Amino acid sequence: MLLLKDHDVALRLVNVSKVFRREKRRSWRRLWPGNGPSLASAVNALDGVTLEVRRHEIFGILGPNGSGKSTLVRVVSTLLLPDAGRAEVFGFDVVREEKAVKRLINRVSVEAAFFKKLSAVENLMFGARLYGLSGTEARARIVAVLRRLGLEEEAAYQPVENLSRGMQQKVAIARAFLTRPILLLLDEPTTGLDPRSRREVQAFVRELRNEHDATIVLTTHDMHEAEQLCDRVAVIDRGRIVALGTPEALKARVASEGLPEPTLEDVFLALTGRHLTDSHHDQEVIA
């Protein structure tokens, strides 16, 4: 069992920045045939992000597509290196102590990858064995988690490519939980789910926190989901944290400025001047 360096703070980010550079081609047809010289441009996907997530919290990161939510999750999950700043998981540095961090976390992406010709059970068994679980232990965990998520036995043994988008997302969440991470990163986990499946996943997220010693970081642009699930939320826009607090505190902040009975969508609009459904297109391609 890995001894934690910090038992109280599951995730700490200090001035974390990530810049993506890309080239734009300009056409100089009168001087050169085809595309002309390229012009470099930089996009700040994360711009000095600082926050702490306490152990056992369900912590929401709210923002539109392209705001930097997924980039933040990828940095924490060691898939991207930050250009500046420091990120720690239970005291372990995500860059210098990558192996230790990977033993503590798992991640569910909005676009989960599978072996499409294999069944859900076969995909889960493959993932479980990669993490060193025995066949007997893996089967028991797979059956338990699939039942908890409401995936029928008939669907569990079909090729994943035959499953609906919602069922595939349930399989992705099941795969992440097989390793029993104490920090679970959910990147828009209920996107594309029907209302019943969304409620089942949300109930499972609460169960993970309450019964399995898990801390949950949830990115979403679903304000109702954030209000239902999250103990605290951070509002991110163009790579910067523009507000952080409980949903009630953030709504009270906006209400004090003259807006009666505000929603979290109203909070975002008041803080950024944009609707949550707007996208920052320069970042959307890469963040």
Side-chain angles (χ1 to χ4, degrees):
M1 180 68 177
L2 185 65
L3 295 178
L4 304 181
K5 289 186 175 182
D6 190 328
H7 289 266
D8 299 319
V9 178
L11 175 63
R12 178 181 285 114
L13 304 180
V14 180
N15 293 323
V16 172
S17 295
K18 183 63 183 180
V19 178
F20 291 98
R21 302 188 184 278
R22 60 181 178 179
E23 293 185 347
K24 294 181 178 180
R25 308 294 297 185
R26 291 185 60 180
S27 178
W28 298 78
R29 298 183 185 278
R30 294 182 181 179
L31 300 177
W32 295 280
N35 290 329
S38 62
L39 299 176
S41 65
V43 177
N44 292 319
L46 296 176
D47 190 1
V49 172
T50 296
L51 60 84
E52 286 188 356
V53 178
R54 303 165 191 147
R55 189 169 185 175
H56 297 141
E57 271 194 304
I58 300 178
F59 187 91
I61 301 174
L62 313 182
N65 294 333
S67 60
K69 304 189 304 294
S70 294
T71 299
L72 190 154
V73 169
R74 289 170 187 153
V75 167
V76 174
S77 57
T78 76
L79 296 176
L80 283 176
L81 293 175
D83 294 323
R86 186 176 78 256
E88 296 177 352
V89 172
F90 288 101
F92 293 97
D93 188 280
V94 301
V95 176
R96 294 184 289 103
E97 300 170 290
E98 176 185 351
K99 290 184 178 179
V101 169
K102 286 181 175 179
R103 292 174 62 185
L104 299 173
I105 69 172
N106 216 321
R107 166 180 172 264
V108 177
S109 170
V110 67
E111 292 295 341
F114 297 102
F115 295 106
K116 299 292 188 180
K117 300 296 183 183
L118 299 183
S119 70
V121 170
E122 289 169 329
N123 271 277
L124 293 174
M125 182 62 73
F126 179 79
R129 298 307 295 268
L130 284 179
Y131 278 94
L133 298 179
S134 68
T136 301
E137 183 181 13
R139 288 186 186 91
R141 289 194 190 182
I142 288 168
V143 169
V145 73
L146 289 180
R147 284 178 177 170
R148 181 63 189 84
L149 286 169
L151 197 70
E152 300 293 338
E153 183 176 355
E154 180 180 352
Y157 286 94
Q158 289 185 28
V160 169
E161 64 183 0
N162 294 343
L163 301 181
S164 67
R165 173 73 181 79
M167 286 185 178
Q168 289 186 19
Q169 194 67 350
K170 287 185 178 183
V171 176
I173 293 171
R175 182 173 59 187
F177 182 62
L178 283 179
T179 61
R180 295 181 177 171
I182 59 173
L183 176 61
L184 186 57
L185 307 168
L186 301 179
D187 193 3
E188 301 194 16
T190 60
T191 296
L193 299 188
D194 61 79
R196 177 179 176 180
S197 296
R198 185 181 298 113
R199 287 194 295 268
E200 289 172 346
V201 169
Q202 291 170 353
F204 188 56
V205 169
R206 293 189 190 94
E207 180 182 314
L208 292 177
R209 190 271 300 276
N210 296 335
E211 300 181 17
H212 298 281
D213 191 28
T215 302
I216 314 293
V217 173
L218 168 78
T219 77
T220 184
H221 55 258
D222 184 330
M223 295 297 95
H224 180 71
E225 179 170 81
E227 290 196 54
Q228 291 292 313
L229 282 179
C230 298
D231 301 303
R232 291 190 301 146
V233 298
V235 178
I236 187 170
D237 184 41
R238 294 180 170 90
R240 295 183 178 182
I241 302 294
V242 297
L244 194 156
T246 66
E248 293 75 16
L250 293 181
K251 289 188 290 183
R253 171 178 169 181
V254 173
S256 68
E257 298 174 1
L259 185 64
E261 299 184 4
T263 65
L264 281 182
E265 178 104 24
D266 295 325
V267 169
F268 187 86
L269 179 60
L271 293 172
T272 68
R274 300 193 300 128
H275 288 283
L276 197 67
T277 52
D278 294 342
S279 294
H280 184 28
H281 293 294
D282 287 341
Q283 288 181 318
E284 187 172 5
V285 176
I286 54 179

